[in-house]
Amino acid sequence: MLENSFQTLPPWLHAEVTPTPVIGARLVHAHPELRHELGLQSLSDGELLTWLNGQSRIPGDQRIATRYAGHQFGVWAGQLGDGRAISLGEFVTSSRGRLEVQVKGAGPTPFSRRGDGRAVLRSSVREYLCSIAMKGLGIPTSEVLALVTGTEPVERETTETAALVARVFPTNLRLGHFELCRHFNRPMEFDALTHYTRELFFPECTIEEMLREITRRTAHLMAAWQDVGFCHGVMNTDNFSILGFTLDYGPFGFLEDTRLDHVCNHSDHEGRYAYHRQPDVGVWNMERFLACFRDLVPVETLTRILDSYFHDFKAETDHRIRRKLGFSTSRDTDAGLFLDLLRILHDQRIDYTWFFRELAQAGFGRVSAIRNEALAGWLKQYAERLVLEGRDEGERSLAMLRNNPKYILRNYIAQEVIEAVSRGSDRELLDWIRILETPYDEHPGFERYAEPTPDAFKHFEISCSS
Ligand code: AMP
Ligand code: MG
């Protein structure tokens, strides 16, 4: 059932647009489960393709782009908006509630500024795979219903080809939607947006409780990113979801060789969004967002809500550290022990994901990554800590294997899939969808992708252009 609620908001917040179909469109993949959940299984592949490509309609659908704003790299960026993404409708599903389908790369909108409204194949494949990977890791994320490629050339640093990803999420609302209304002094729109968000997504909450919950979700998301070594790359407030899920995949990257100051976005010269800064950026973004509510909520309350971020982030991080290290009990020294390990992994540039899997699998005296005294010393402390657990070694190992993935989306893996899809081969994409959906499982034949990234495939430079 389609129920396009965003259109009930004041007209200044959205615009009706006509998609510009991609030339030579081909449906590479549609996710069967999502298709089913959305009730789109009765559409043939051809019908789904023409709908996503703006060449046909289904009853009750819409074509809108929304206006938002935001802070980009710490600076107020003014009005932005969906410059290349068009919403085709909000489905109210029986299993998952409200799910909006939004096609990224669907052509220019009134918010495109100087952009061409397109997304390239490279970034579309990366978005598809990473949203699958995040979901597989249990981290809140936008999802992808389908990937469409075209033959149309698109100019970026080089000439690339156009593609579409049909994203799916409960709502496209970003922190930047609220910043927009506040900054451009639109109290009526701001109130409508606040009322809308509360009614649809936080129906049991007062405004204060809603803000507290959004803050909590953001803190938890940051803790989850840090846990799996995910670097977002462009943590601008316009890329932060109001529901606290991962949104707008661009030059993201997972830690491969551990570098705590890793900057995955080649265009981020100052390292503002470096891995170890992400939790602080999360609170910085929440501060921008909460400040929009000054007229509605007393400033002391807003300060208290902002402060709750630190508590929530710490609690979630502590919980994740225990899971990651295989502890069933909690000790005050656990966070320090984990930080010591991170420092060693960083100093020795040990592969982040591989190391924890190794730690999970090997008896702790037999970790093959032991290269020097620092790590050997740490493992000794870890062994002492485990004695306090009284937990069976096999049980610890199993628990750790459930919480430390074997497979993450390494840049070179994404690159292999991009090249395969560009050649017209879809098998690699299907393989990696399957693997990334179940990253804690064994995948015979793919073991080498769980090893540290080969030297020849390190140092990919991913820029903002997409
Ligand atoms: P992003 O870096 O993808 O989060 O985009 C930041 C802003 O630029 C958003 O408002 C996008 O809609 C817009 N944008 C990015 N790329 C394009 C493009 N090729 N055409 C039009 N707008 C774009
Ligand atoms: Mg964005």
Side-chain angles (χ1 to χ4, degrees):
M1 188 183 66
L2 278 151
E3 187 192 281
N4 300 321
S5 64
F6 206 92
Q7 290 189 56
T8 63
L9 286 164
W12 186 65
L13 292 169
H14 47 87
E16 223 174 296
V17 284
T18 306
T20 311
V22 159
I23 297 165
R26 175 174 84 89
L27 182 69
V28 177
H29 190 250
H31 200 275
E33 269 168 45
L34 261 181
R35 197 170 174 170
H36 187 79
E37 278 161 350
L38 290 165
L40 291 173
Q41 67 273 32
S42 58
L43 292 188
S44 67
D45 282 359
E47 286 165 340
L48 182 66
L49 175 65
T50 56
W51 181 57
L52 295 176
N53 198 27
Q55 294 161 305
S56 63
R57 307 288 303 246
I58 61 174
D61 70 356
Q62 66 177 7
R63 291 159 160 200
I64 65 161
T66 73
R67 189 192 302 269
Y68 56 78
H71 282 82
Q72 299 188 320
F73 293 91
V75 179
W76 174 248
Q79 184 194 290
L80 304 162
D82 298 317
R84 52 175 168 168
I86 299 178
S87 169
L88 296 187
E90 298 161 35
F91 294 77
V92 180
T93 70
S94 53
S95 51
R96 304 263 311 267
R98 186 174 299 274
L99 287 176
E100 176 173 342
V101 176
Q102 190 204 48
V103 179
K104 188 168 169 180
T109 77
F111 313 112
S112 296
R113 295 174 293 158
R114 284 185 298 280
D116 58 9
R118 288 300 188 213
V120 299
L121 170 68
R122 169 177 54 87
S123 61
S124 304
V125 170
R126 283 170 51 85
E127 171 145 9
Y128 197 171
L129 289 177
C130 200
S131 56
I132 297 261
M134 293 301 256
K135 193 174 178 206
L137 292 164
I139 299 176
T141 178
S142 61
E143 296 175 49
V144 173
L145 166 66
L147 172 70
V148 173
T149 57
T151 51
E152 190 179 314
V154 176
E155 296 307 326
R156 295 293 181 260
E157 277 106 348
T158 59
T159 304
E160 303 193 38
T161 43
L164 305 171
V165 272
R167 297 197 284 201
V168 173
F169 35 46
T171 178
N172 180 35
L173 275 177
R174 297 136 190 269
L175 306 185
H177 281 101
F178 291 82
E179 289 179 283
L180 170 87
C181 300
R182 201 34 98 212
H183 186 87
F184 291 97
N185 196 23
R186 294 275 187 155
M188 188 274 280
E189 283 82 359
F190 186 87
D191 289 348
L193 207 52
T194 304
H195 179 74
Y196 170 87
T197 307
R198 194 153 68 99
E199 192 155 292
L200 259 59
F201 303 107
F202 302 94
E204 311 288 314
C205 297
T206 62
I207 291 179
E208 291 171 18
E209 286 165 349
M210 174 176 85
L211 299 180
R212 173 79 183 79
E213 175 61 14
I214 293 170
T215 305
R216 188 189 67 79
R217 290 189 194 188
T218 305
H220 280 210
L221 185 68
M222 295 304 109
W225 287 2
Q226 297 307 102
D227 179 356
V228 299
F230 175 75
C231 307
H232 182 282
V234 200
M235 296 170 66
N236 298 333
T237 54
D238 53 297
N239 290 339
F240 260 49
S241 158
I242 197 78
L243 298 186
F245 57 80
T246 316
L247 181 61
D248 276 17
Y249 292 97
F252 66 83
F254 286 84
L255 290 183
E256 295 177 22
D257 284 355
T258 307
R259 288 190 64 122
L260 300 179
D261 54 354
H262 178 57
V263 181
C264 61
N265 177 357
H266 188 56
S267 321
D268 180 6
H269 304 294
E270 287 167 19
R272 179 179 171 84
Y273 298 141
Y275 170 74
H276 65 317
R277 291 197 172 144
Q278 296 190 127
D280 285 342
V281 176
V283 77
W284 193 90
N285 287 351
M286 288 320 296
E287 194 170 1
R288 304 281 83 67
F289 170 66
L290 291 170
C292 300
F293 289 83
R294 275 182 309 232
D295 296 347
L296 296 179
V297 179
V299 71
E300 310 79 64
T301 309
L302 292 175
T303 307
R304 199 161 36 75
I305 294 172
L306 188 65
D307 283 344
S308 70
Y309 177 96
F310 298 99
H311 172 269
D312 291 337
F313 177 76
K314 169 109 178 54
E316 179 67 9
T317 298
D318 287 348
H319 163 68
R320 285 178 171 272
I321 286 174
R322 282 198 296 279
R323 281 200 335 198
K324 213 166 174 60
L325 293 178
F327 301 155
S328 55
T329 60
S330 129
R331 301 265 159 173
D332 289 346
T333 49
D334 290 347
L337 189 67
F338 186 73
L339 284 180
D340 289 346
L341 175 60
L342 280 188
R343 178 52 61 191
I344 295 168
L345 298 182
H346 171 89
D347 288 344
Q348 298 183 29
R349 299 283 187 266
I350 295 175
D351 190 275
Y352 184 81
T353 306
W354 173 82
F355 176 83
F356 285 101
R357 194 75 181 181
E358 180 83 357
L359 190 66
Q361 225 146 10
F364 47 78
R366 288 181 280 113
V367 174
S368 66
I370 301 178
R371 296 176 198 180
N372 68 10
E373 276 175 32
L375 191 56
W378 185 87
L379 285 165
K380 193 158 160 287
Q381 277 181 287
Y382 180 56
E384 284 162 13
R385 169 67 181 83
L386 287 173
V387 172
L388 304 176
E389 290 277 299
R391 194 180 199 184
D392 171 62
E393 171 69 13
E395 202 184 305
R396 172 195 68 96
S397 177
L398 274 181
M400 284 177 77
L401 292 174
R402 280 196 298 273
N403 291 301
N404 290 286
K406 179 158 182 165
Y407 295 96
I408 47 139
L409 182 59
R410 297 170 187 274
N411 273 332
Y412 82 97
I413 295 173
Q415 195 58 34
E416 280 188 20
V417 178
I418 292 163
E419 284 166 20
V421 173
S422 306
R423 289 194 305 272
S425 167
D426 302 338
R427 186 180 50 80
E428 291 79 356
L429 180 75
L430 295 175
D431 283 342
W432 281 101
I433 288 174
R434 177 170 53 81
I435 295 168
L436 294 171
E437 277 179 337
T438 48
Y440 302 95
D441 292 357
E442 300 296 328
H443 290 283
F446 290 88
E447 288 85 357
R448 69 189 168 94
Y449 294 99
E451 295 290 317
T453 301
D455 284 342
F457 299 139
K458 285 178 183 167
H459 317 301
F460 259 95
E461 288 186 345
I462 313 274
S463 75
C464 252
S465 90
S466 57

